[in-house]
């Protein structure tokens, strides 16, 4: 790494201009080509996917978006009163004549009587749009629908056409960056130390953002990929640059020249950054084993972001460090660059040195306390329920939420998520069996109503609509889906050629959650095995990777516990403007597992690599653990604080899915860095002693030798005598 550092230092202006040129070139490409984000199918092998395919084939058309206009009278009024009926009929006629509208299904027609609730207070109309409808035309329909609203007549809209997906909030992104700058400035008291990691991360994330936009033309990427990439990229980008800058500052205060220090920093901390970035990329790309389109795209997009932020840290950052020279140190530090001042400073034990001694003195007690806290924080994970958020999880001020509540009140909670059964028939006997199935469905527990659409002559695929008695997100609705498939439908199919598939949005979400949960154990096994192998190669140890893998699972449990408490139980979700509690988005835990495995291993690499370096010099395990913890504690704590600021800022962006990532990752990173890496890992390593560094000779010869901390990371020829805790030479 040192040759790369020296080259970047010598050609620092060219390196900076190259990054600027790359960003401009990719930006020009985006300006010319635009983006092509879209959601890929979740699975082609589920019951609901087969139902959807059959229904689309039977429709033989490319229908456009549709939505509902819902109205409700307060004060005991009925929507069939002449004044209200005339007002809404006129409004629906205007909507039907509006550009882009294909049809309007009114409740004030003989066919639409079922669109009026039994108490007569609530009604809805379905608006179907043309396939090629413009957003401005949909907005015009929204304005027309809202015009008749008054003190007693409440009107709200929901459905696919009228759902407004929240956009990423640039203010939230900026808030995370500003908080990170403040933290760095407060801790290091030097403007350039605060600015350089942020500049490096922003350039890396900005370059990756335009690269991912162009990549969306090649592979299917969801529209949340950019936001997720920014969330991860800013966190790891600032942290990676900070580790290198912190090592550079230590080298300068030790008397090195700027070029020497840059080369040494990249040859030590730069190697650790490369290795840490590799672990994150491996964890992210491990998600490809799930073979789920939307997750594949997110994983690739996030991996691209991490690669480019690492590349910025090991090329752009050395160039910038060369440009600013000694200004990376504060004024007081520059004035104190004398040998005597350095010796006086080295004799002052810092906070983290004192804490490392406390951990060494009481490893068993602290390990037990830390484990108890971790288990308590992860306990809510046992009640984790996957699904998909819908309009019922939106803030009460949202028109979609208001329409959802009106429908639930007037027609029952299950009306917001009916099950759609695709019935494949081949003869008259099958159609007779389908009619009997409707009767059986009406009698099934958990079914509010069931009705079949009339089948035309020659039609082979029928449609049965089943309205549950419970809401789409209810666990009882999920149970109903499985009960229909396992107990109600098979008897109706027996003795016939009829095939029935349970579909609809509610069933699709339930199937998606089931598919992901079935693949989760394999995914965890794959990335845990890869992580174990990487750490074994890096640290020539079996125990350290094994402990790291177990503790990574604990930190993931803490992440799950946090999102369960906030988003499933609803504690604090309303205050954050994130609506009511509900199930966790199905793909969020998968991505959290991949991301947290990578981030947890980052801190493990930075912590243990310094311990390994000290072990190589002294052969004293207790000293190696204590010194490694003391010298990395401050920077790991600061790095974790920055990640918490960045991840936490995304909670306020208005996007529930991204907020789930923000809460889970912010809590898990804080706990992982401060409780696991600064308490539990060193405590356990003190208890294990020399066993930490044991590796069978045959395995040692078989594994490739990779030095994370540079050429100095070689085993000591003979262990030195065990030394009692000393504070000299240990920086805070």
């Amino acid at each position: 790494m040192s040759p790369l550092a020296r080259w970047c230092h010598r050609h620092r202006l060219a390196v900076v201009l190259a990054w600027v040129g790359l960003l401009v070139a990719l930006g020009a490409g985006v300006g010319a080509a635009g983006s092509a984000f879209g959601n890929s199918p979740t699975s082609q092998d589920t019951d609901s996917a087969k139902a959807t395919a059959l229904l689309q084939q039977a429709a033989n058309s490319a229908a456009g978006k549709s939505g509902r206009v819902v109205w409700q009278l307060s004060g005991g009024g009925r929507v069939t009163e002449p004044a209200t009926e005339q007002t809404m009929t006129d409004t629906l006629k205007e909507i039907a004549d509006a550009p882009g509208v294909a049809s309007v299904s009114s409740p004030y027609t003989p066919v639409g009587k079922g669109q009026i609730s039994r108490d007569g207070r609530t009604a809805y109309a379905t608006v179907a749009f043309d396939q090629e409808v413009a957003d401005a035309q949909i907005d015009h329909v929204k304005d027309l629908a809202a015009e008749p609203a008054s003190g007693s007549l409440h009107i709200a809209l929901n459905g696919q056409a009228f759902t407004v997906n929240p956009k990423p909030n640039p203010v939230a992104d900026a808030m995370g960056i500003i908080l990170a700058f403040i933290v760095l400035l407060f801790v290091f008291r030097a403007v350039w130390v605060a600015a350089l990691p942020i500049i490096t991360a922003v350039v890396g994330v900005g370059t990756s953002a335009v690269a991912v936009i162009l990549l969306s033309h090649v592979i299917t990427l969801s529209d949340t990929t950019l936001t997720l990439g920014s969330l991860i990229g800013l966190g790891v980008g600032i942290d990676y640059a900070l580790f290198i800058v912190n090592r550079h500052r230590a080298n300068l205060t030790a008397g090195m020249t700027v070029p020497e220090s840059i080369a040494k920093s990249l040859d030590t901390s730069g190697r650790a950054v490369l290795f840490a970035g590799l672990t994150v990329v491996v964890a992210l790309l491990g998600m490809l084993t799930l073979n789920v389109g939307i997750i594949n795209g997110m994983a690739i997009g996030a991996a691209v972001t991490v690669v480019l932020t690492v590349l910025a840290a090991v090329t752009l950052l050395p160039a910038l460090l060369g440009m600013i020279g000694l200004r990376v140190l504060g004024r007081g530090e520059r004035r104190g660059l004398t040998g005597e001042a350095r010796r006086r400073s080295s004799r002052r034990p810092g906070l983290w040195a004192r804490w490392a001694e406390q951990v060494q003195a009481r490893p068993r007690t602290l390990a037990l306390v830390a484990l108890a806290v971790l288990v308590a924080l992860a306990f809510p994970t046992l009640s984790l329920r996957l699904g998909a958020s819908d309009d019922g999880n939106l803030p009460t001020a949202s028109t979609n939420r208001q329409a959802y509540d009106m429908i639930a009140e007037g027609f029952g909670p299950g009306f917001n998520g009916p099950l759609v059964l695709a019935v494949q028939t081949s003869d008259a006997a099958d159609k007779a069996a389908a009619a009997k199935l409707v009767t059986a469905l009406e009698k099934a527990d958990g079914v509010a109503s069931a009705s079949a659409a009339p089948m035309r002559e020659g039609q082979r695929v029928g449609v049965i609509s089943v309205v549950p008695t419970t809401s789409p997100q209810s666990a009882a609705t999920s149970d109903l889906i499985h009960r229909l498939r396992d107990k109600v439908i098979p008897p109706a199919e027996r003795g016939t050629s009829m095939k029935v598939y349970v579909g609809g949005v509610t069933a699709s979400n339930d199937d998606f959650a089931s598919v992901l949960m079935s693949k989760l154990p394999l995914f965890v096994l794959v990335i845990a095995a890869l992580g174990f192998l990487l750490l074994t190669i890096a640290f020539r140890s079996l125990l350290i990777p094994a402990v790291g893998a177990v503790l990574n699972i604990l930190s993931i449990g803490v992440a799950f516990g946090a999102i369960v408490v906030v988003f499933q139980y609803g504690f604090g979700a309303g205050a954050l403007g994130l609506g009511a509690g509900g199930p966790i988005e199905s793909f969020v835990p998968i991505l959290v597992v991949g991301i947290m495995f990578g981030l947890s291993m980052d801190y493990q690499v930075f912590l243990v690599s310094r311990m390994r370096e000290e072990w190589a010099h002294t052969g004293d395990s207790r000293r190696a653990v204590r010194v490694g913890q003391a010298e990395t504690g401050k920077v790991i704590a600061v790095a974790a604080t920055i990640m918490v600021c960045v991840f936490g800022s995304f909670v306020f962006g208005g996007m529930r899915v991204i907020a789930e990532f923000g809460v889970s990752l912010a809590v898990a990173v804080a706990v992982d860095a401060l409780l696991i890496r600064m308490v539990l890992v060193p405590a356990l390593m003190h208890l294990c002693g020399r066993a930490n560094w044991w590796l069978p000779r045959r395995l040692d010869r078989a594994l490739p030798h990779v030095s994370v901390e540079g050429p100095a990371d070689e085993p000591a020829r003979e262990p030195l005598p065990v030394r009692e805790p000393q504070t000299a030479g240990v920086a805070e």
Side-chain angles (χ1 to χ4, degrees):
M1 294 293 291
S2 55
L4 174 64
R6 293 190 183 94
W7 189 92
C8 290
H9 176 262
R10 286 196 305 270
H11 304 88
R12 44 191 178 273
L13 180 60
V15 171
V16 172
L17 292 177
W19 273 98
V20 173
L22 177 62
L23 185 58
V24 171
L26 291 174
V30 170
S35 64
F37 292 112
N39 293 322
S40 61
T42 57
S43 175
Q44 299 299 322
D45 299 323
T46 62
D47 207 56
S48 57
K50 295 173 183 176
T52 300
L54 275 176
L55 294 174
Q56 289 177 342
Q57 181 182 355
N60 194 27
S61 64
K65 298 178 180 179
S66 65
R68 283 176 178 166
V69 179
V70 186
W71 58 97
Q72 188 177 71
L73 277 175
S74 59
R78 300 175 65 88
V79 296
T80 52
E81 293 173 358
T84 302
E85 180 174 344
Q86 185 62 49
T87 297
M88 293 309 301
T89 298
D90 293 343
T91 299
L92 295 178
K93 186 177 184 306
E94 287 186 74
I95 292 174
D97 294 336
V101 175
S103 64
V104 175
S105 174
S106 171
Y108 301 119
T109 62
V111 178
K113 288 182 179 180
Q115 297 169 218
I116 299 176
S117 64
R118 290 183 180 179
D119 62 8
R121 294 182 56 243
T122 308
Y124 70 90
T126 302
V127 180
F129 290 91
D130 296 331
Q131 186 181 4
E132 301 295 334
V133 63
D135 291 342
Q137 293 172 329
I138 294 178
D139 291 338
H140 177 59
V141 170
K142 290 180 182 179
D143 294 337
L144 292 175
E147 282 180 4
S150 63
S152 59
L153 179 61
H154 305 286
I155 299 177
L157 310 173
N158 72 349
Q160 180 189 18
F162 298 136
T163 297
V164 179
N165 294 319
K167 301 297 182 182
N169 187 354
V171 176
D173 299 358
M175 183 172 66
I177 294 173
I178 292 170
L179 288 174
F181 179 82
I182 292 172
V183 169
L184 288 169
L185 189 60
F186 176 77
V187 173
F188 293 103
R189 308 299 173 93
V191 174
W192 279 111
V193 178
L196 283 177
I198 292 174
I199 292 172
T200 305
V202 168
V203 171
V205 171
T207 306
S208 64
V210 289
V212 167
I213 293 174
L214 291 176
L215 189 62
S216 68
H217 292 276
V218 180
I219 61 175
T220 302
L221 299 175
S222 75
D223 49 10
T224 58
T225 302
L226 275 181
T227 307
L228 181 63
S230 297
L231 183 148
I232 299 170
L234 284 175
V236 301
I238 294 174
D239 278 10
Y240 290 166
L242 174 61
F243 285 120
I244 295 175
V245 170
N246 187 66
R247 190 63 175 251
H248 176 57
R249 283 164 48 84
N251 292 338
L252 290 177
T253 56
M256 289 187 183
T257 64
V258 172
E260 290 173 341
S261 176
I262 293 174
K264 181 65 175 177
S265 299
L266 215 61
D267 210 30
T268 52
S269 294
R271 287 174 179 261
V273 164
L274 277 178
F275 193 83
L278 174 63
T279 62
V280 176
V281 171
V282 167
L284 289 171
L285 294 184
M287 287 185 253
L288 298 180
T289 60
L290 298 171
N291 195 28
V292 177
I294 186 173
I295 292 180
N296 289 350
M298 288 184 175
I300 293 173
V304 168
T305 302
V306 173
V307 168
L308 286 172
T309 53
V310 169
L311 188 60
V314 298
T315 57
L316 177 63
L317 181 58
L320 294 176
L321 289 173
M323 286 182 169
I324 66 172
L326 292 176
R327 283 175 293 172
V328 74
L329 300 173
R331 292 182 179 179
E333 292 170 315
R334 293 199 297 271
R335 286 195 298 267
L337 286 181
T338 64
E340 182 59 30
R342 287 195 300 273
R343 285 192 294 273
R344 287 198 302 269
S345 175
S346 67
R347 287 195 293 268
R348 292 195 297 268
L351 169 65
W352 293 102
R354 296 193 297 272
W355 175 246
E357 291 178 4
Q358 291 296 318
V359 175
Q360 180 177 346
R362 301 175 181 83
R364 186 172 286 101
T365 300
L366 290 174
L368 290 174
V369 171
L371 278 173
V373 173
L374 288 170
V375 170
L377 292 174
F379 185 75
T381 302
L382 298 177
S383 58
L384 175 69
R385 186 164 64 86
L386 302 184
S389 60
D390 57 21
D391 291 346
N393 296 115
L394 296 174
T396 53
S398 165
T399 183
N400 298 72
R401 170 66 182 275
Q402 292 170 3
Y404 183 98
D405 291 342
M406 289 181 190
I407 290 291
E409 180 184 344
F411 299 90
F415 205 85
N416 280 300
L419 306 178
V420 182
L421 278 60
V423 184
Q424 193 172 24
T425 62
S426 59
D427 52 30
D430 288 348
K431 293 182 180 179
K436 292 180 180 179
L437 174 60
V438 174
T439 303
L441 290 168
E442 290 175 332
K443 297 177 181 179
D445 292 338
V447 174
S449 65
S451 59
M455 294 183 67
R456 300 184 304 272
E457 184 68 27
Q459 185 177 346
R460 296 294 185 182
V461 179
V463 179
I464 299 176
S465 178
V466 176
V467 177
T469 57
T470 50
S471 68
Q473 297 181 359
S474 171
T477 303
S478 180
D479 293 339
L480 173 63
I481 293 171
H482 297 291
R483 191 161 57 249
L484 294 182
R485 289 172 175 168
D486 298 337
K487 297 182 179 180
V488 179
I489 293 175
E493 291 177 328
R494 196 172 297 124
T496 71
S497 59
M498 178 180 70
K499 295 294 181 183
V500 182
Y501 304 98
V502 181
V505 175
T506 303
S508 296
N509 291 335
D510 188 75
D511 286 345
F512 187 38
S514 298
V515 167
L516 292 184
M517 286 303 294
S518 67
K519 295 183 177 183
L520 183 59
L522 173 62
F523 171 53
V524 173
L525 180 63
V526 167
I527 63 173
L530 290 173
F532 180 86
L533 178 61
L534 288 173
L535 291 182
T536 300
I537 293 173
F539 301 129
R540 322 307 294 179
S541 164
L542 291 179
L543 186 60
I544 290 173
V547 170
V550 173
L551 296 183
N552 284 353
I553 293 174
L554 267 178
S555 67
I556 290 168
V558 171
F560 288 177
I563 54 176
V564 166
V565 169
V566 176
F567 295 95
Q568 188 171 311
Y569 297 166
F571 294 135
L576 295 172
L578 300 171
I584 307 303
E585 297 290 339
S586 301
F587 57 85
V588 167
I590 298 289
L591 290 168
V592 168
V593 168
I595 295 167
M596 274 311 301
F597 249 96
L599 297 183
S600 297
M601 286 178 62
D602 274 5
Y603 291 134
Q604 184 81 343
V605 167
F606 288 118
L607 173 65
V608 179
S609 61
R610 183 62 189 91
M611 294 176 178
R612 170 74 183 177
E613 184 180 12
E614 191 68 21
W615 163 255
H617 286 305
T618 67
D620 182 346
S621 180
R622 290 168 61 84
R623 173 182 169 82
V625 173
R626 186 184 71 252
V627 171
Q629 180 185 3
E631 294 193 357
T632 59
K634 178 179 178 180
V635 71
I636 288 178
V638 173
T641 303
I642 289 170
M643 275 206 181
V644 170
C645 291
V646 172
F647 293 157
S649 68
F650 282 82
V651 176
F652 304 97
M655 302 174 69
R656 184 181 177 90
V657 173
I658 298 300
E660 290 178 3
F661 284 117
V663 168
S664 60
L665 295 177
V667 172
V669 164
V671 171
D672 187 274
L674 301 179
L675 194 59
I676 294 180
R677 308 305 156 187
M678 289 294 102
V679 180
L680 196 51
V681 167
L684 292 175
M685 291 182 70
H686 279 304
L687 292 173
C688 294
R690 296 177 63 87
N692 290 312
W693 315 104
W694 177 78
L695 185 70
R697 291 185 179 180
R698 289 185 178 181
L699 184 59
D700 185 40
R701 289 193 296 268
L703 292 175
H705 284 262
V706 177
S707 175
V708 177
E709 274 292 337
D713 187 9
E714 296 175 356
R717 293 184 179 180
E718 293 184 5
L720 299 182
V722 176
R723 304 176 184 179
E724 293 302 317
Q726 302 283 335
T727 57
V730 180
E732 182 180 339

